[in-house]
Amino acid sequence: MSYDYSSSDRQLNLPNPFKIENIFLGISAFVVGGLGLTLLFLARANINAQAAYGQYLALAAGVVLIVIAVKLAFNALTQLRFFFGRGRPMSLAPDLAPQQVGESGEANELKETLRQQALVFPEPRGALSGLLYSYVPNLIYAPSPLQGLANRQFKNAITMMVLLLSLIFALLFGRVGADNDSWQRVTQWIGLAYLGYVLVILMQPSGKMLNAQKIQAELSPKSLVIAIVFAIVGPVVLLMLAKFLPIIRGISPYPAVFVAMGVALLIYGLFFITLIRQVSRPPQTNVANKQDSWNINCHPGQIMGELDRALQEIWEEKIPNRCYLRQDANVDMNAKAGKFTAEIVEETQPFPTMRESLSFGMALSNPRYGLLVLLDTVGTLLWCLAAGAVYAFGRAMMSSGAVDTSVQPNTFLLYATIFGALASFSFLAASELWMRFEFSSRIVWLQLEGQYTTTRLDHGNQLNDTIRSSTNVIKIESMTYRLWCANITSTTFGKDAARHIMAMAGDANFAETMTVRLKEFALNQANIFAPTSRGDLERHTALAALNQTSRDLLALNKSTAQVSPSDASPAIKVLATLLAHCPACGAGIDVANSFCAECGQKLKTD
Protein backbone atom coordinates (compact mmCIF):
# COMPACT_ATOMS: atom_id res chain seq x y z
CA MET A 1 0.00 0.00 0.00
CA SER A 2 1.34 3.43 -0.92
CA TYR A 3 1.85 6.28 1.52
CA ASP A 4 -0.61 9.04 0.64
CA TYR A 5 0.77 12.29 2.06
CA SER A 6 -0.73 15.73 2.44
CA SER A 7 0.75 18.69 4.31
CA SER A 8 -2.57 19.20 6.10
CA ASP A 9 -2.60 15.72 7.63
CA ARG A 10 -1.23 16.80 10.98
CA GLN A 11 -3.34 14.41 13.00
CA LEU A 12 -2.18 11.39 11.02
CA ASN A 13 1.46 11.72 12.09
CA LEU A 14 1.39 8.79 14.50
CA PRO A 15 4.35 8.10 16.78
CA ASN A 16 6.19 4.84 16.21
CA PRO A 17 4.49 2.17 18.35
CA PHE A 18 7.56 -0.09 18.05
CA LYS A 19 9.92 2.46 19.59
CA ILE A 20 10.37 0.48 22.80
CA GLU A 21 10.36 -2.93 21.12
CA ASN A 22 13.09 -1.77 18.73
CA ILE A 23 15.35 -1.06 21.71
CA PHE A 24 14.99 -4.63 22.95
CA LEU A 25 15.48 -5.99 19.44
CA GLY A 26 18.63 -3.92 19.10
CA ILE A 27 20.01 -5.21 22.41
CA SER A 28 19.23 -8.79 21.40
CA ALA A 29 20.88 -8.35 18.00
CA PHE A 30 23.96 -6.79 19.61
CA VAL A 31 24.44 -9.64 22.13
CA VAL A 32 23.68 -12.45 19.68
CA GLY A 33 25.81 -10.91 16.95
CA GLY A 34 28.66 -10.21 19.34
CA LEU A 35 28.81 -13.81 20.49
CA GLY A 36 28.51 -14.98 16.90
CA LEU A 37 31.43 -12.84 15.75
CA THR A 38 33.51 -13.98 18.70
CA LEU A 39 32.80 -17.61 17.83
CA LEU A 40 33.68 -17.00 14.18
CA PHE A 41 37.03 -15.43 15.03
CA LEU A 42 37.85 -18.25 17.46
CA ALA A 43 36.92 -20.88 14.89
CA ARG A 44 38.99 -19.16 12.20
CA ALA A 45 42.02 -19.05 14.45
CA ASN A 46 41.80 -22.81 15.14
CA ILE A 47 41.05 -24.02 11.61
CA ASN A 48 43.96 -25.90 10.02
CA ALA A 49 44.48 -28.76 7.67
CA GLN A 50 44.45 -31.33 10.48
CA ALA A 51 41.46 -29.81 12.30
CA ALA A 52 38.66 -32.07 13.42
CA TYR A 53 35.12 -31.60 12.25
CA GLY A 54 34.14 -30.16 15.67
CA GLN A 55 35.81 -26.88 14.76
CA TYR A 56 33.73 -26.68 11.62
CA LEU A 57 30.61 -27.26 13.71
CA ALA A 58 31.71 -24.34 15.91
CA LEU A 59 32.09 -22.26 12.75
CA ALA A 60 28.57 -23.26 11.66
CA ALA A 61 27.24 -22.32 15.10
CA GLY A 62 28.80 -18.86 14.74
CA VAL A 63 27.18 -18.45 11.33
CA VAL A 64 23.80 -19.36 12.85
CA LEU A 65 24.22 -16.67 15.51
CA ILE A 66 25.11 -14.10 12.86
CA VAL A 67 22.01 -15.04 10.86
CA ILE A 68 19.80 -14.64 13.93
CA ALA A 69 21.44 -11.30 14.82
CA VAL A 70 20.94 -9.96 11.30
CA LYS A 71 17.31 -11.05 11.33
CA LEU A 72 16.69 -9.31 14.66
CA ALA A 73 18.46 -6.18 13.42
CA PHE A 74 16.43 -6.15 10.20
CA ASN A 75 13.22 -6.50 12.19
CA ALA A 76 14.20 -3.43 14.20
CA LEU A 77 15.23 -1.46 11.11
CA THR A 78 11.97 -2.36 9.36
CA GLN A 79 10.08 -0.90 12.30
CA LEU A 80 12.40 2.08 12.71
CA ARG A 81 10.08 4.42 10.82
CA PHE A 82 6.31 4.23 11.00
CA PHE A 83 4.27 5.85 8.23
CA PHE A 84 0.52 6.25 8.48
CA GLY A 85 -1.05 7.94 5.47
CA ARG A 86 -4.58 9.12 4.80
CA GLY A 87 -5.40 5.82 3.09
CA ARG A 88 -5.13 4.06 6.45
CA PRO A 89 -6.63 2.44 8.43
CA MET A 90 -8.66 0.02 6.38
CA SER A 91 -12.26 0.94 5.66
CA LEU A 92 -15.16 -0.81 7.35
CA ALA A 93 -16.51 -1.78 3.90
CA PRO A 94 -15.34 -1.60 0.27
CA ASP A 95 -14.98 2.03 -0.82
CA LEU A 96 -16.96 3.51 -3.70
CA ALA A 97 -15.54 6.06 -6.10
CA PRO A 98 -17.10 9.57 -6.08
CA GLN A 99 -20.68 9.43 -7.39
CA GLN A 100 -20.38 5.66 -7.92
CA VAL A 101 -23.56 3.72 -7.23
CA GLY A 102 -23.31 0.38 -5.46
CA GLU A 103 -23.39 -1.55 -2.22
CA SER A 104 -21.67 -4.47 -0.53
CA GLY A 105 -22.37 -7.04 2.13
CA GLU A 106 -20.11 -5.22 4.60
CA ALA A 107 -21.96 -1.96 3.98
CA ASN A 108 -25.31 -3.64 4.62
CA GLU A 109 -23.93 -5.10 7.85
CA LEU A 110 -22.83 -1.61 8.85
CA LYS A 111 -26.35 -0.32 8.15
CA GLU A 112 -27.80 -3.06 10.32
CA THR A 113 -25.39 -2.18 13.11
CA LEU A 114 -26.65 1.41 13.05
CA ARG A 115 -30.28 0.35 12.76
CA GLN A 116 -30.09 -2.13 15.63
CA GLN A 117 -27.79 0.11 17.70
CA ALA A 118 -25.89 -3.03 18.70
CA LEU A 119 -22.42 -4.46 18.10
CA VAL A 120 -21.87 -8.07 17.12
CA PHE A 121 -19.16 -10.04 18.96
CA PRO A 122 -18.26 -13.72 18.49
CA GLU A 123 -19.59 -16.05 21.15
CA PRO A 124 -17.31 -18.45 23.05
CA ARG A 125 -17.21 -22.03 21.86
CA GLY A 126 -15.90 -25.06 23.66
CA ALA A 127 -15.37 -26.03 27.27
CA LEU A 128 -12.13 -24.10 27.79
CA SER A 129 -13.59 -20.95 26.22
CA GLY A 130 -16.57 -21.26 28.55
CA LEU A 131 -14.22 -21.53 31.50
CA LEU A 132 -12.27 -18.47 30.32
CA TYR A 133 -15.35 -16.28 29.80
CA SER A 134 -16.78 -17.29 33.17
CA TYR A 135 -13.75 -15.72 34.88
CA VAL A 136 -13.36 -12.82 32.41
CA PRO A 137 -16.95 -11.97 31.38
CA ASN A 138 -16.02 -8.63 29.78
CA LEU A 139 -13.86 -10.48 27.25
CA ILE A 140 -17.01 -10.87 25.15
CA TYR A 141 -16.82 -7.12 24.39
CA ALA A 142 -13.26 -7.32 23.05
CA PRO A 143 -12.63 -7.18 19.28
CA SER A 144 -12.62 -10.55 17.57
CA PRO A 145 -8.81 -10.66 17.04
CA LEU A 146 -8.24 -10.01 20.73
CA GLN A 147 -10.80 -12.63 21.69
CA GLY A 148 -9.18 -15.16 19.40
CA LEU A 149 -5.75 -14.41 20.79
CA ALA A 150 -6.96 -14.67 24.39
CA ASN A 151 -8.67 -17.99 23.68
CA ARG A 152 -5.57 -19.43 22.05
CA GLN A 153 -3.19 -18.33 24.79
CA PHE A 154 -5.51 -19.69 27.47
CA LYS A 155 -5.90 -23.02 25.68
CA ASN A 156 -2.17 -23.27 25.10
CA ALA A 157 -1.47 -22.50 28.74
CA ILE A 158 -3.96 -25.18 29.86
CA THR A 159 -2.41 -27.61 27.38
CA MET A 160 1.05 -26.87 28.75
CA MET A 161 -0.15 -27.44 32.32
CA VAL A 162 -1.78 -30.75 31.38
CA LEU A 163 1.44 -31.86 29.67
CA LEU A 164 3.48 -30.89 32.71
CA LEU A 165 1.19 -32.78 35.10
CA SER A 166 1.09 -35.76 32.75
CA LEU A 167 4.88 -35.87 32.53
CA ILE A 168 5.30 -35.59 36.30
CA PHE A 169 2.79 -38.38 36.90
CA ALA A 170 4.42 -40.61 34.30
CA LEU A 171 7.87 -40.15 35.83
CA LEU A 172 6.71 -40.62 39.41
CA PHE A 173 4.34 -43.56 39.00
CA GLY A 174 5.21 -45.07 35.61
CA ARG A 175 8.03 -47.28 36.82
CA VAL A 176 6.48 -50.63 37.68
CA GLY A 177 9.26 -53.03 38.73
CA ALA A 178 11.51 -52.06 35.80
CA ASP A 179 15.29 -52.18 36.03
CA ASN A 180 17.35 -49.02 35.99
CA ASP A 181 18.64 -49.43 32.44
CA SER A 182 15.20 -49.97 30.89
CA TRP A 183 13.62 -47.21 32.93
CA GLN A 184 16.35 -44.72 32.00
CA ARG A 185 15.93 -45.56 28.31
CA VAL A 186 12.16 -45.14 28.52
CA THR A 187 12.30 -41.85 30.42
CA GLN A 188 14.68 -40.40 27.83
CA TRP A 189 12.18 -41.10 25.06
CA ILE A 190 9.25 -39.83 27.14
CA GLY A 191 11.10 -36.58 27.83
CA LEU A 192 11.97 -36.08 24.16
CA ALA A 193 8.38 -36.76 23.14
CA TYR A 194 7.01 -34.18 25.55
CA LEU A 195 9.69 -31.68 24.61
CA GLY A 196 8.87 -32.06 20.91
CA TYR A 197 5.18 -31.52 21.69
CA VAL A 198 6.01 -28.35 23.61
CA LEU A 199 8.17 -27.00 20.77
CA VAL A 200 5.33 -27.62 18.30
CA ILE A 201 3.12 -25.33 20.39
CA LEU A 202 5.76 -22.65 20.87
CA MET A 203 6.90 -22.50 17.24
CA GLN A 204 3.47 -21.40 16.00
CA PRO A 205 3.81 -17.71 14.99
CA SER A 206 1.70 -15.46 17.14
CA GLY A 207 0.55 -13.40 14.17
CA LYS A 208 -1.22 -16.35 12.58
CA MET A 209 -3.12 -16.90 15.79
CA LEU A 210 -5.15 -13.79 15.06
CA ASN A 211 -6.67 -15.25 11.91
CA ALA A 212 -6.35 -19.02 12.07
CA GLN A 213 -9.45 -20.94 13.06
CA LYS A 214 -7.65 -23.81 14.76
CA ILE A 215 -4.16 -24.27 16.14
CA GLN A 216 -2.07 -27.39 16.18
CA ALA A 217 -1.65 -29.30 19.44
CA GLU A 218 -4.71 -27.56 20.91
CA LEU A 219 -6.19 -29.29 23.93
CA SER A 220 -9.40 -31.11 23.06
CA PRO A 221 -11.37 -33.86 24.79
CA LYS A 222 -9.57 -36.41 22.63
CA SER A 223 -6.09 -35.04 23.38
CA LEU A 224 -6.95 -34.76 27.09
CA VAL A 225 -7.96 -38.42 27.21
CA ILE A 226 -4.74 -39.37 25.37
CA ALA A 227 -2.64 -37.36 27.85
CA ILE A 228 -4.29 -39.03 30.85
CA VAL A 229 -4.08 -42.52 29.41
CA PHE A 230 -0.47 -42.07 28.33
CA ALA A 231 0.55 -40.80 31.77
CA ILE A 232 -0.90 -43.93 33.37
CA VAL A 233 -0.37 -46.66 30.77
CA GLY A 234 2.26 -45.22 28.43
CA PRO A 235 5.33 -45.85 30.59
CA VAL A 236 4.28 -49.48 31.15
CA VAL A 237 3.85 -50.08 27.44
CA LEU A 238 7.20 -48.45 26.68
CA LEU A 239 8.88 -50.60 29.31
CA MET A 240 7.61 -53.66 27.49
CA LEU A 241 9.24 -52.30 24.31
CA ALA A 242 12.36 -50.98 26.03
CA LYS A 243 14.67 -53.50 24.49
CA PHE A 244 13.63 -52.37 21.01
CA LEU A 245 14.15 -48.65 21.72
CA PRO A 246 17.54 -47.21 20.63
CA ILE A 247 19.72 -45.68 23.28
CA ILE A 248 19.87 -41.87 23.23
CA ARG A 249 23.45 -40.68 23.66
CA GLY A 250 25.00 -37.25 23.88
CA ILE A 251 21.78 -35.46 24.92
CA SER A 252 19.40 -35.54 27.85
CA PRO A 253 15.89 -34.03 27.87
CA TYR A 254 16.06 -33.43 31.60
CA PRO A 255 15.75 -30.88 33.07
CA ALA A 256 15.41 -29.10 29.69
CA VAL A 257 11.80 -30.20 29.22
CA PHE A 258 10.81 -28.81 32.64
CA VAL A 259 12.67 -25.57 31.94
CA ALA A 260 10.84 -25.20 28.63
CA MET A 261 7.43 -25.82 30.19
CA GLY A 262 8.10 -23.54 33.15
CA VAL A 263 9.31 -20.58 31.09
CA ALA A 264 6.50 -21.11 28.58
CA LEU A 265 3.92 -20.98 31.37
CA LEU A 266 5.54 -17.77 32.62
CA ILE A 267 5.27 -16.17 29.18
CA TYR A 268 1.71 -17.37 28.77
CA GLY A 269 0.84 -15.90 32.14
CA LEU A 270 2.35 -12.50 31.31
CA PHE A 271 0.75 -12.45 27.91
CA PHE A 272 -2.66 -13.48 29.21
CA ILE A 273 -2.64 -10.81 31.92
CA THR A 274 -1.66 -8.24 29.28
CA LEU A 275 -4.59 -9.33 27.13
CA ILE A 276 -7.01 -9.07 30.01
CA ARG A 277 -5.82 -5.53 30.75
CA GLN A 278 -6.77 -4.55 27.21
CA VAL A 279 -10.36 -5.67 27.77
CA SER A 280 -12.68 -2.76 28.46
CA ARG A 281 -16.07 -2.47 30.11
CA PRO A 282 -19.31 -2.92 28.14
CA PRO A 283 -19.15 -0.30 25.37
CA GLN A 284 -21.62 2.44 24.54
CA THR A 285 -23.85 1.68 21.54
CA ASN A 286 -26.03 4.77 21.07
CA VAL A 287 -26.94 6.05 17.60
CA ALA A 288 -28.70 9.35 16.86
CA ASN A 289 -31.74 8.79 14.63
CA LYS A 290 -33.86 11.49 13.01
CA GLN A 291 -37.07 10.52 11.20
CA ASP A 292 -39.55 12.83 9.49
CA SER A 293 -42.22 12.99 6.79
CA TRP A 294 -41.76 15.57 4.02
CA ASN A 295 -44.00 17.03 1.33
CA ILE A 296 -41.74 18.43 -1.38
CA ASN A 297 -41.81 19.28 -5.08
CA CYS A 298 -38.24 18.51 -6.12
CA HIS A 299 -36.16 15.58 -7.28
CA PRO A 300 -34.78 13.45 -4.38
CA GLY A 301 -31.39 13.60 -6.08
CA GLN A 302 -31.22 17.29 -5.21
CA ILE A 303 -31.36 16.38 -1.50
CA MET A 304 -28.54 13.87 -1.97
CA GLY A 305 -26.49 16.54 -3.72
CA GLU A 306 -27.04 18.99 -0.88
CA LEU A 307 -25.96 16.29 1.59
CA ASP A 308 -22.74 15.81 -0.40
CA ARG A 309 -22.06 19.53 -0.17
CA ALA A 310 -22.85 19.64 3.54
CA LEU A 311 -20.58 16.71 4.32
CA GLN A 312 -17.77 18.14 2.21
CA GLU A 313 -17.89 21.35 4.22
CA ILE A 314 -16.95 19.43 7.39
CA TRP A 315 -14.28 17.12 5.98
CA GLU A 316 -11.66 16.49 8.66
CA GLU A 317 -8.44 18.20 7.51
CA LYS A 318 -9.93 18.34 3.98
CA ILE A 319 -9.76 14.55 3.67
CA PRO A 320 -12.71 13.16 1.65
CA ASN A 321 -15.18 10.91 3.38
CA ARG A 322 -15.27 7.21 2.65
CA CYS A 323 -18.44 6.23 0.82
CA TYR A 324 -19.55 2.65 1.46
CA LEU A 325 -23.04 2.62 -0.09
CA ARG A 326 -24.90 4.85 -2.53
CA GLN A 327 -28.25 4.32 -4.23
CA ASP A 328 -29.67 7.21 -6.28
CA ALA A 329 -33.41 7.78 -6.63
CA ASN A 330 -34.82 6.31 -9.84
CA VAL A 331 -37.52 8.75 -10.96
CA ASP A 332 -39.08 8.25 -14.43
CA MET A 333 -40.29 11.63 -15.71
CA ASN A 334 -42.36 9.91 -18.42
CA ALA A 335 -44.37 7.96 -15.86
CA LYS A 336 -47.37 9.40 -14.09
CA ALA A 337 -46.42 7.90 -10.71
CA GLY A 338 -43.89 5.59 -9.12
CA LYS A 339 -41.82 4.70 -6.07
CA PHE A 340 -38.26 5.66 -5.27
CA THR A 341 -35.55 4.84 -2.73
CA ALA A 342 -32.30 6.69 -2.19
CA GLU A 343 -29.65 6.18 0.47
CA ILE A 344 -26.01 6.82 1.21
CA VAL A 345 -23.55 5.65 3.89
CA GLU A 346 -20.37 7.63 4.51
CA GLU A 347 -17.63 7.66 7.15
CA THR A 348 -15.26 10.49 7.91
CA GLN A 349 -11.50 9.89 7.90
CA PRO A 350 -10.63 7.89 11.06
CA PHE A 351 -8.10 9.68 13.24
CA PRO A 352 -6.05 8.05 16.01
CA THR A 353 -7.15 8.72 19.56
CA MET A 354 -3.57 8.66 20.88
CA ARG A 355 -0.86 10.72 19.20
CA GLU A 356 1.69 11.08 21.99
CA SER A 357 5.12 9.53 21.65
CA LEU A 358 5.39 6.43 23.83
CA SER A 359 8.28 6.50 26.29
CA PHE A 360 9.47 3.99 28.86
CA GLY A 361 7.83 5.96 31.65
CA MET A 362 4.48 6.12 29.89
CA ALA A 363 4.61 2.45 28.91
CA LEU A 364 5.41 1.28 32.43
CA SER A 365 2.69 3.44 33.99
CA ASN A 366 0.08 2.43 31.41
CA PRO A 367 -1.72 -0.84 32.31
CA ARG A 368 -2.00 -1.72 28.61
CA TYR A 369 1.72 -1.47 27.86
CA GLY A 370 3.43 -2.20 31.19
CA LEU A 371 3.53 -5.98 30.83
CA LEU A 372 4.44 -5.68 27.15
CA VAL A 373 7.71 -4.10 28.23
CA LEU A 374 8.21 -7.03 30.61
CA LEU A 375 7.48 -9.50 27.79
CA ASP A 376 10.11 -7.88 25.56
CA THR A 377 12.53 -7.94 28.49
CA VAL A 378 11.97 -11.67 28.93
CA GLY A 379 12.41 -12.17 25.19
CA THR A 380 15.72 -10.28 25.24
CA LEU A 381 17.02 -12.37 28.17
CA LEU A 382 16.00 -15.57 26.39
CA TRP A 383 17.84 -14.53 23.23
CA CYS A 384 20.93 -13.84 25.31
CA LEU A 385 20.63 -17.28 26.94
CA ALA A 386 20.12 -18.94 23.55
CA ALA A 387 23.19 -17.18 22.13
CA GLY A 388 25.18 -18.13 25.22
CA ALA A 389 24.19 -21.79 24.81
CA VAL A 390 25.26 -21.78 21.15
CA TYR A 391 28.54 -20.11 22.12
CA ALA A 392 29.11 -22.74 24.82
CA PHE A 393 28.42 -25.47 22.24
CA GLY A 394 31.00 -23.97 19.88
CA ARG A 395 33.65 -23.66 22.57
CA ALA A 396 33.00 -27.22 23.69
CA MET A 397 33.35 -28.52 20.13
CA MET A 398 36.58 -26.59 19.57
CA SER A 399 38.10 -27.76 22.85
CA SER A 400 37.21 -31.42 22.34
CA GLY A 401 37.73 -31.58 18.60
CA ALA A 402 35.02 -34.19 18.47
CA VAL A 403 31.80 -35.04 20.18
CA ASP A 404 32.60 -35.92 23.81
CA THR A 405 29.76 -37.70 25.62
CA SER A 406 31.12 -36.72 29.01
CA VAL A 407 30.74 -33.03 28.19
CA GLN A 408 27.53 -33.50 26.16
CA PRO A 409 27.81 -30.35 24.01
CA ASN A 410 24.58 -31.34 22.27
CA THR A 411 22.75 -30.40 25.45
CA PHE A 412 23.79 -26.80 24.79
CA LEU A 413 22.14 -27.04 21.39
CA LEU A 414 19.00 -28.38 23.00
CA TYR A 415 18.81 -25.46 25.41
CA ALA A 416 19.65 -23.03 22.62
CA THR A 417 16.69 -24.37 20.61
CA ILE A 418 14.37 -24.10 23.60
CA PHE A 419 15.45 -20.60 24.56
CA GLY A 420 15.35 -19.44 20.95
CA ALA A 421 11.80 -20.74 20.48
CA LEU A 422 10.67 -19.11 23.72
CA ALA A 423 12.37 -15.80 22.84
CA SER A 424 10.84 -15.72 19.36
CA PHE A 425 7.41 -16.50 20.77
CA SER A 426 7.73 -13.79 23.43
CA PHE A 427 8.64 -11.08 20.88
CA LEU A 428 5.99 -12.14 18.37
CA ALA A 429 3.30 -12.26 21.03
CA ALA A 430 4.14 -8.80 22.34
CA SER A 431 4.43 -7.36 18.82
CA GLU A 432 0.78 -8.11 18.07
CA LEU A 433 -0.32 -5.99 21.03
CA TRP A 434 2.12 -3.16 20.27
CA MET A 435 0.32 -2.81 16.91
CA ARG A 436 -3.07 -2.09 18.43
CA PHE A 437 -4.45 1.31 17.40
CA GLU A 438 -7.73 3.02 18.21
CA PHE A 439 -9.47 5.54 15.95
CA SER A 440 -12.44 7.90 16.13
CA SER A 441 -14.70 8.81 13.20
CA ARG A 442 -18.33 9.56 12.32
CA ILE A 443 -20.73 7.47 10.26
CA VAL A 444 -23.74 9.02 8.50
CA TRP A 445 -26.54 7.03 6.87
CA LEU A 446 -29.31 8.88 5.00
CA GLN A 447 -32.34 7.06 3.61
CA LEU A 448 -35.19 8.52 1.52
CA GLU A 449 -38.29 6.51 0.61
CA GLY A 450 -41.57 7.58 -0.93
CA GLN A 451 -43.92 7.82 -3.91
CA TYR A 452 -43.97 10.48 -6.58
CA THR A 453 -46.31 11.82 -9.25
CA THR A 454 -45.25 13.83 -12.28
CA THR A 455 -47.19 16.65 -13.95
CA ARG A 456 -46.57 19.53 -16.34
CA LEU A 457 -46.55 23.08 -15.05
CA ASP A 458 -47.10 25.94 -17.59
CA HIS A 459 -46.26 29.52 -16.66
CA GLY A 460 -47.47 32.58 -18.63
CA ASN A 461 -50.66 34.07 -20.12
CA GLN A 462 -51.70 31.95 -23.05
CA LEU A 463 -53.48 34.86 -24.81
CA ASN A 464 -51.28 37.86 -24.18
CA ASP A 465 -47.73 36.54 -23.40
CA THR A 466 -45.67 35.50 -26.37
CA ILE A 467 -42.88 34.10 -24.12
CA ARG A 468 -44.07 31.29 -21.86
CA SER A 469 -42.36 28.39 -19.98
CA SER A 470 -43.37 24.87 -19.06
CA THR A 471 -41.72 22.43 -16.63
CA ASN A 472 -42.18 18.79 -15.69
CA VAL A 473 -42.79 18.86 -11.96
CA ILE A 474 -42.26 16.06 -9.42
CA LYS A 475 -44.73 16.04 -6.57
CA ILE A 476 -43.82 14.01 -3.48
CA GLU A 477 -46.06 13.67 -0.45
CA SER A 478 -45.27 11.95 2.86
CA MET A 479 -41.72 11.04 1.89
CA THR A 480 -40.00 9.14 4.70
CA TYR A 481 -36.75 10.79 5.74
CA ARG A 482 -34.37 8.87 8.02
CA LEU A 483 -30.94 9.94 9.17
CA TRP A 484 -28.65 7.84 11.40
CA CYS A 485 -25.49 9.36 12.84
CA ALA A 486 -22.89 7.98 15.28
CA ASN A 487 -19.40 8.84 16.43
CA ILE A 488 -17.60 5.50 16.53
CA THR A 489 -14.46 4.18 18.18
CA SER A 490 -12.71 1.47 16.17
CA THR A 491 -9.57 -0.58 16.69
CA THR A 492 -7.14 -2.47 14.50
CA PHE A 493 -4.12 -4.69 15.08
CA GLY A 494 -1.70 -3.34 12.48
CA LYS A 495 -2.02 -0.36 10.17
CA ASP A 496 -3.10 -2.57 7.26
CA ALA A 497 -5.25 -4.97 9.30
CA ALA A 498 -9.03 -5.12 9.46
CA ARG A 499 -10.76 -2.54 11.62
CA HIS A 500 -13.45 -3.34 14.19
CA ILE A 501 -16.06 -1.05 15.78
CA MET A 502 -15.73 -1.00 19.57
CA ALA A 503 -18.22 1.71 20.64
CA MET A 504 -20.84 4.06 19.17
CA ALA A 505 -22.07 7.39 20.52
CA GLY A 506 -24.98 9.20 18.87
CA ASP A 507 -24.47 12.79 17.75
CA ALA A 508 -27.95 14.31 18.17
CA ASN A 509 -26.83 17.89 17.42
CA PHE A 510 -25.31 16.89 14.09
CA ALA A 511 -28.42 14.92 13.11
CA GLU A 512 -30.73 17.82 13.99
CA THR A 513 -28.63 20.43 12.21
CA MET A 514 -28.29 18.32 9.08
CA THR A 515 -32.02 17.56 8.99
CA VAL A 516 -32.97 21.24 9.26
CA ARG A 517 -30.58 22.16 6.47
CA LEU A 518 -31.75 19.45 4.08
CA LYS A 519 -35.44 20.14 4.70
CA GLU A 520 -35.05 23.88 4.20
CA PHE A 521 -33.14 23.22 0.99
CA ALA A 522 -35.84 20.86 -0.32
CA LEU A 523 -38.73 23.23 0.46
CA ASN A 524 -37.03 26.20 -1.22
CA GLN A 525 -36.52 24.58 -4.62
CA ALA A 526 -38.17 26.46 -7.54
CA ASN A 527 -40.42 24.69 -10.04
CA ILE A 528 -40.90 27.43 -12.67
CA PHE A 529 -38.40 27.66 -15.51
CA ALA A 530 -37.08 31.11 -16.34
CA PRO A 531 -33.96 32.34 -18.17
CA THR A 532 -31.39 33.67 -15.73
CA SER A 533 -28.23 34.39 -17.72
CA ARG A 534 -27.34 37.93 -18.90
CA GLY A 535 -27.53 36.85 -22.55
CA ASP A 536 -31.01 35.42 -22.01
CA LEU A 537 -32.16 38.64 -20.38
CA GLU A 538 -30.84 40.81 -23.24
CA ARG A 539 -32.55 38.64 -25.84
CA HIS A 540 -35.71 38.62 -23.78
CA THR A 541 -35.71 42.46 -23.75
CA ALA A 542 -35.26 42.63 -27.53
CA LEU A 543 -37.99 40.08 -28.17
CA ALA A 544 -40.33 41.91 -25.81
CA ALA A 545 -39.81 45.16 -27.76
CA LEU A 546 -40.47 43.42 -31.07
CA ASN A 547 -43.54 41.68 -29.64
CA GLN A 548 -44.93 45.02 -28.47
CA THR A 549 -44.31 46.61 -31.86
CA SER A 550 -45.96 43.67 -33.57
CA ARG A 551 -49.03 44.02 -31.37
CA ASP A 552 -49.20 47.75 -32.21
CA LEU A 553 -49.05 46.94 -35.92
CA LEU A 554 -51.78 44.34 -35.73
CA ALA A 555 -54.01 46.72 -33.85
CA LEU A 556 -53.39 49.42 -36.44
CA ASN A 557 -54.16 47.05 -39.34
CA LYS A 558 -57.49 46.19 -37.79
CA SER A 559 -58.52 49.84 -37.47
CA THR A 560 -57.62 50.92 -41.03
CA ALA A 561 -57.53 49.05 -44.27
CA GLN A 562 -54.56 50.94 -45.60
CA VAL A 563 -52.11 53.13 -43.87
CA SER A 564 -50.79 56.23 -45.51
CA PRO A 565 -47.10 56.87 -45.16
CA SER A 566 -47.81 60.07 -43.29
CA ASP A 567 -49.96 58.23 -40.70
CA ALA A 568 -47.50 55.40 -40.22
CA SER A 569 -45.79 55.68 -36.88
CA PRO A 570 -41.99 55.77 -36.73
CA ALA A 571 -42.08 52.40 -34.92
CA ILE A 572 -43.94 50.83 -37.86
CA LYS A 573 -41.46 52.23 -40.31
CA VAL A 574 -38.55 50.93 -38.33
CA LEU A 575 -40.23 47.54 -38.03
CA ALA A 576 -40.88 47.38 -41.76
CA THR A 577 -37.28 48.22 -42.50
CA LEU A 578 -35.92 45.66 -40.04
CA LEU A 579 -38.25 42.87 -41.04
CA ALA A 580 -38.41 43.72 -44.78
CA HIS A 581 -42.19 43.22 -44.93
CA CYS A 582 -44.99 45.44 -46.17
CA PRO A 583 -46.67 47.17 -43.22
CA ALA A 584 -50.01 46.94 -45.00
CA CYS A 585 -50.26 43.40 -46.39
CA GLY A 586 -47.22 41.74 -44.75
CA ALA A 587 -45.73 40.53 -48.03
CA GLY A 588 -41.98 40.35 -48.39
CA ILE A 589 -40.45 43.43 -50.01
CA ASP A 590 -37.13 44.78 -51.17
CA VAL A 591 -36.17 47.69 -48.97
CA ALA A 592 -34.80 49.47 -52.06
CA ASN A 593 -38.34 49.60 -53.70
CA SER A 594 -40.63 52.56 -53.21
CA PHE A 595 -43.91 50.57 -53.49
CA CYS A 596 -45.08 47.10 -52.38
CA ALA A 597 -45.32 44.71 -55.32
CA GLU A 598 -48.43 42.99 -53.86
CA CYS A 599 -50.73 45.81 -52.73
CA GLY A 600 -49.05 48.92 -54.08
CA GLN A 601 -48.49 50.43 -50.63
CA LYS A 602 -46.03 53.31 -50.83
CA LEU A 603 -42.97 52.35 -48.81
CA LYS A 604 -40.84 55.45 -49.08
CA THR A 605 -41.71 59.07 -48.64
CA ASP A 606 -40.12 61.92 -50.48
Side-chain angles (χ1 to χ4, degrees), residues 159-176 183 186-187 190-191 193-194 222-239 254 258 261:
T159 302
M160 197 70 66
M161 293 179 62
V162 169
L163 290 176
L164 180 59
L165 294 176
S166 174
L167 177 59
I168 293 175
F169 186 89
L171 295 178
L172 292 179
F173 305 102
R175 184 174 183 178
V176 183
W183 178 243
V186 169
T187 54
I190 291 177
Y194 275 83
K222 180 181 178 180
S223 59
L224 179 61
V225 170
I226 293 176
I228 295 175
V229 172
F230 181 82
I232 299 174
V233 183
V236 179
V237 175
L238 290 177
L239 285 172
Y254 303 104
F258 291 106
M261 289 184 177

Side-chain angles (χ1 to χ4, degrees), residues 14-20 22 76 79-82 357-358 437:
L14 278 177
N16 190 354
F18 302 106
K19 179 179 179 180
I20 297 178
N22 286 340
Q79 302 172 166
L80 192 61
R81 294 292 298 170
F82 187 79
S357 180
L358 194 63
F437 305 100

Side-chain angles (χ1 to χ4, degrees), residues 137-152:
N138 285 345
L139 184 60
I140 190 67
Y141 306 118
S144 55
L146 196 62
Q147 287 194 45
L149 196 56
N151 274 279
R152 296 182 189 284

